[in-house]
Amino acid sequence: MINNILTGDRPTGNLHLGHYVGSLKRRVELQNNSNYDNLLIMIADAQALTDNADNPKKVRDNVLEVMLDYLSIGLDPKKVTFFIQSGVSALPELTMYYMNLVSLSRLLRNPTVKSEIKLRGFDDGNKGIPVGFANYPISQAADITAFKANIVPVGDDQLPMVEQTREIVKSFNNTYEDVLIMPNAVLPENELCYRLPGIDGNAKMSKSLGNCIYLKDTTEEVKSKVFKMYTDPTHIKIDDPGHVEGNMVFTYLDVFCNDKHFEKYLPEYKNLDELKNHYQRGGLGDSKIKKFLFEVIEELLTPFRERRKYYEERITEVIGFLENGTKKANEIANITLIDVKKAMKINYFDNDDFLNEQVNKYNN
Ligand code: TRP
């Protein structure tokens, strides 16, 4: 059996720590520690346009930003096929055929689509929901199945897309022939990583809320963001007992720090439990825990910044990775398209079957 891993991101802005713990980190682990035939990472520009139709420049400008974010975290162009969605024409073709297998109500029941419709204001009566937007889960099914991906490492907000894909695979294989591969989502091991909250305590780190720490942020930006973080509004004086639940510094420490960080940056404490206990008892100030979190995040981001700079200085090469990757992606997706069209009996000129059938029909 072939083993293909596929995932991707919309190029609408730089990737941040939420993306990192939610999905990017897993990709690097898969790259380095698993067996696969192809590891494909797609920059989903066509999907980005489904809710940015009027902003093509934003999408275009973010293609290389996202690519540099990928390279900065250690995704290796020798191991990964990076490609651009709009460069693979088999994808919209497959989408068109899969559309026949999904009802409109099923599409609009997708919880991620539902919340995005609200967020984008598509439900406010004037705008309306663009058909292409409502349809993007089907297009995502095309992305996944075109590459015969059995493994799809994503954040938990993408589970409804993988579920929709699984339904399409089942329906396609039952209706036509058994040609599509059933994909499985791979989520982060640690549930705390499913959805990293913003630095302001908002449930989600998101560009539009301006509460992100970006992978490319400078030391100064990280410092200022960490020191602005939402902690515990009832912890006013150092001696006041503090709360760790809902306190963003502790939420982030839960996700990012380990005992080695304590040894290195805060040796008075052995581990996070000791630090939490002290904070809860009172007598531990916010600036100390913020300084520690800052060190922990800096340790993570410093090598990212170095690799990013390396690739920024070789941007022609980086564009070459994408161009070659897109060629390879076309080769793989075109094979699936041939199988799909054959299964749907619309492969008229692949061989002489159609010719012979029709000649028999009309000439006898
Ligand atoms: N929907 C994903 C996002 O919002 C991007 C994406 C498009 C994707 N096609 C995909 C992810 C296929 C995984 C598999 O970022």
Side-chain angles (χ1 to χ4, degrees):
M1 200 191 97
I2 57 161
N3 206 358
N4 282 350
I5 305 171
L6 174 115
T7 185
D9 299 275
R10 299 179 187 192
T12 52
N14 280 103
L15 303 178
H16 52 59
L17 285 181
H19 294 116
Y20 183 71
V21 295
S23 164
L24 299 170
K25 187 172 172 217
R26 193 46 172 277
R27 299 179 200 178
V28 181
E29 286 163 9
L30 286 167
Q31 165 190 276
N32 294 333
N33 310 321
S34 74
N35 293 318
Y36 45 84
D37 297 293
N38 293 288
L39 169 52
L40 298 128
I41 299 189
M42 181 182 77
I43 299 186
D45 63 337
Q47 189 177 105
L49 287 166
T50 64
D51 62 348
N52 287 284
D54 54 351
N55 208 345
K57 186 172 184 313
K58 171 166 119 186
V59 174
R60 184 181 176 89
D61 287 345
N62 278 300
V63 166
L64 275 197
E65 286 298 321
V66 168
M67 181 65 182
L68 288 165
D69 287 334
Y70 288 156
L71 294 168
S72 78
I73 62 164
L75 288 168
D76 178 351
K78 290 195 195 71
K79 297 183 178 156
V80 178
T81 302
F82 295 105
F83 69 99
I84 301 188
Q85 186 183 27
S86 65
V88 183
S89 53
L91 299 177
E93 275 198 65
L94 290 171
T95 304
M96 173 113 189
Y97 302 133
Y98 298 166
M99 282 162 74
N100 300 331
L101 302 173
V102 182
S103 75
L104 197 52
S105 61
R106 171 66 184 89
L107 275 183
L108 297 174
R109 235 189 298 131
N110 182 310
T112 303
V113 170
K114 259 189 177 163
S115 69
E116 285 170 337
I117 286 172
K118 276 223 176 69
L119 215 67
R120 307 283 184 275
F122 289 150
D123 59 347
D124 75 357
N126 298 319
K127 282 191 191 161
I129 305 165
V131 174
F133 176 79
N135 196 49
Y136 93 74
I138 300 184
S139 133
Q140 194 155 334
D143 303 336
I144 293 169
T145 55
F147 301 99
K148 299 190 165 43
N150 53 333
I151 297 171
V152 184
V154 282
D156 80 321
D157 63 317
Q158 295 298 304
L159 278 183
M161 307 306 156
V162 179
E163 191 47 44
Q164 176 74 79
T165 305
R166 292 173 61 88
E167 286 174 29
I168 289 173
V169 168
K170 198 160 164 227
S171 167
F172 188 97
N173 289 349
N174 284 337
T175 310
Y176 306 110
E177 276 175 46
D178 202 2
V179 297
L180 300 182
I181 302 292
M182 191 60 82
N184 294 292
V186 176
L187 294 177
E189 261 156 42
N190 180 350
E191 232 174 281
L192 292 169
C193 296
Y194 282 12
R195 199 154 300 184
L196 188 71
I199 57 170
D200 58 355
N202 195 296
K204 203 178 166 193
M205 194 175 262
S206 123
K207 263 184 307 275
S208 47
L209 297 170
N211 60 4
C212 309
I213 296 178
Y214 291 99
L215 301 178
K216 67 177 276 199
D217 275 351
T218 62
T219 299
E220 293 68 37
E221 284 166 329
V222 172
K223 187 172 224 166
S224 115
K225 287 177 184 181
V226 169
F227 276 82
K228 271 200 300 237
M229 265 174 127
Y230 179 83
T231 55
D232 171 9
T234 69
H235 183 244
I236 298 164
K237 287 187 263 98
I238 289 191
D239 288 336
D240 292 339
H243 294 88
V244 298
E245 307 81 28
N247 180 323
M248 288 309 108
V249 174
F250 282 103
T251 304
Y252 278 48
L253 285 175
D254 271 329
V255 171
F256 291 102
C257 89
N258 56 45
D259 295 355
K260 283 216 188 78
H261 290 123
F262 280 94
E263 235 173 83
K264 233 164 141 179
Y265 306 114
L266 207 56
E268 310 99 278
Y269 303 88
K270 258 215 296 301
N271 54 36
L272 189 53
D273 283 337
E274 281 190 5
L275 189 73
K276 282 182 177 173
N277 283 338
H278 192 183
Y279 193 79
Q280 285 166 320
R281 276 200 313 275
L284 176 56
D286 277 2
S287 61
K288 190 156 183 173
I289 57 168
K290 284 178 167 172
K291 180 155 183 304
F292 177 56
L293 176 62
F294 165 67
E295 309 270 21
V296 169
I297 294 180
E298 271 297 284
E299 184 176 311
L300 177 71
L301 297 187
T302 302
F304 295 1
R305 291 188 197 111
E306 284 161 12
R307 273 194 293 260
R308 190 184 182 93
K309 183 161 177 289
Y310 173 91
Y311 285 109
E312 279 178 357
E313 287 162 1
R314 289 162 182 79
I315 212 71
T316 310
E317 224 177 290
V318 172
I319 293 174
F321 299 148
L322 274 174
E323 192 174 359
N324 291 333
T326 304
K327 276 196 196 115
K328 181 167 173 197
N330 269 293
E331 284 163 20
I332 301 175
N334 282 336
I335 295 172
T336 305
L337 184 63
I338 289 171
D339 294 345
V340 160
K341 291 178 83 169
K342 179 165 172 279
M344 294 179 70
K345 303 197 183 307
I346 52 176
N347 61 332
Y348 305 104
F349 312 117
D350 284 358
N351 54 40
D352 286 340
D353 290 357
F354 180 68
L355 179 78
N356 292 336
E357 277 164 32
Q358 302 303 315
V359 166
N360 279 339
K361 178 174 164 195
Y362 291 101
N363 292 0
N364 283 330

